[in-house]
Amino acid sequence: MVTGRLEHYTRGQIEQRIKDLGGVVGDSVSKKTSYLVAGDDAGSKLAKAQKQGTAILDEAGFDALV
């Protein structure tokens, strides 16, 4: 899942990379969410991910992961 304003990628680019690697991109944070890629002004999705202990990555963290 991707939320917020990213500096180096569009949200669509991140989502496509996730799909290319065999992942699924959802519309909302749930217990099934493996990680959240968060940029500036991430809002309620970031807060929900933090509350349920979902891994949160910035763009650099996502690059390192893939």
Side-chain angles (χ1 to χ4, degrees):
M1 167 162 288
V2 184
T3 189
R5 187 178 63 251
L6 304 171
E7 186 176 343
H8 298 101
Y9 301 101
T10 66
R11 292 166 87 174
Q13 288 171 317
I14 296 284
E15 290 173 355
Q16 188 59 52
R17 286 178 69 188
I18 292 169
K19 291 175 185 177
D20 290 346
L21 294 167
V24 177
V25 178
D27 292 331
S28 62
V29 177
S30 73
K31 293 185 186 251
K32 294 182 180 181
T33 303
S34 299
Y35 58 87
L36 175 74
V37 179
D40 294 335
D41 301 322
S44 63
K45 289 181 183 177
L46 175 59
K48 186 170 182 180
Q50 290 170 324
K51 183 176 181 179
Q52 63 187 44
T54 301
I56 299 166
L57 305 171
D58 59 10
E59 289 177 88
F62 180 75
D63 281 339
L65 182 68
V66 298

